[in-house]
Each structure stands twice: as C-alpha cells, then as structure tokens.
Amino acid sequence: QAGVARGGLALTEGRPLVIGELLSLNKLGRIIGAGILLGIMTVIGLILCIIPGLIVIFFGSYFVYFILDQDMGAVESIKASFSFVKDNLGSLFLLLLLSWVILFVGALLCGIGLFVAYPVVYIAYAYAYKTLRGAPVAP
C-alpha cells in the first residue's frame, strides 16, 4: 500500500514514477505501526457487529498518505485520516463506491482489467487526498 501511495502522490505532484521510490523502506516503521493499530481496531470493530469494523477501515484508509506526505507518526496519521474522512464524508464515500464499480468491471474482464483498474483507483485516492486538502495537483 505504501508503494502505490508513493506512486499516486508522485503522479499528482507531477513527478515521474521511480521504481526505487516505490520500493523505498523510508517511513516503513511508522506505516507498519499504524497498520497494526488499525488492524487491531478493525478486528475489535468486526467483533462488535461487523459495521464498526467497516467504519474503521473506511475512516482509516488515508493514514499512509499522511505519513508519507505530512511526515506524521503512526497515531497522529490515524487521527488525521479519521478527521479527513469525517470532514469529506460525502465525496470520499462516493469515491469508495465508484472504486468498487471500477474494480468490479476490471474483475469481470477475466481479472486482466484489474491491471488497469487498480492504478486508476489508487491515483484517484491520491488525487482526492491532495485536492480535498487544498494542496496543488499537477495538471
């Protein structure tokens, strides 16, 4: 997830994709730490009737962007992701639904369409992250 987030951020900033940057281990400890915390929160939420776990997944989905782009810590990035999604709930929920449609159509094409669908979805997430925060996006 960190690699595709790095790629999406690079493209939205107008930088070329560099394999070394996509595979970078920079900030990996914070990303793993935040992922473990979100995983624990998700399992607890799923045990508590499934829907709270799904809400945690949705609200925590932008933590990697905050770590990579804003250089935040694990807990701080999770809080920022929850706040970001809360503040942009309608737009991000619509993006989630459209992402599911894109991935479903990609899967219908014998799975080969997923090679196009996944990059499109991840670039859309990076674009949404940048634009909804008011950050400049490369044309």
Side-chain angles (χ1 to χ4, degrees):
Q1 185 178 4
V4 294
R6 287 179 209 277
L9 288 173
L11 290 174
T12 58
E13 294 168 359
R15 295 182 287 124
L17 289 178
V18 178
I19 298 298
E21 181 182 348
L22 298 179
L23 301 175
S24 171
L25 299 179
N26 185 25
K27 303 176 185 176
L28 188 62
R30 285 184 269 173
I31 293 169
I32 290 173
I36 290 171
L37 288 174
L38 267 175
I40 292 168
M41 292 167 56
T42 300
V43 168
I44 292 170
L46 290 172
I47 290 171
L48 294 174
C49 196
I50 299 175
I51 292 176
L54 298 176
I55 291 170
V56 169
I57 291 170
F58 177 59
F59 276 76
S61 60
Y62 284 88
F63 80 94
V64 172
Y65 295 99
F66 284 100
I67 291 174
L68 295 175
D69 191 46
Q70 300 294 310
D71 201 29
M72 292 183 177
V75 174
E76 188 182 16
S77 69
I78 293 170
K79 288 179 183 178
S81 179
F82 272 66
S83 178
F84 175 69
V85 173
K86 178 184 61 91
D87 294 343
N88 301 289
L89 189 59
S91 300
L92 294 177
F93 188 69
L94 180 60
L95 176 62
L96 175 69
L97 295 177
L98 290 173
S99 298
W100 288 348
V101 170
I102 291 169
L103 293 171
F104 179 72
V105 170
L108 285 178
L109 301 171
C110 298
I112 299 200
L114 292 174
F115 287 110
V116 174
Y118 271 113
V120 167
V121 166
Y122 279 110
I123 291 169
Y125 270 66
Y127 182 83
Y129 165 79
K130 287 286 198 176
T131 57
L132 292 174
R133 289 189 58 251
V137 177

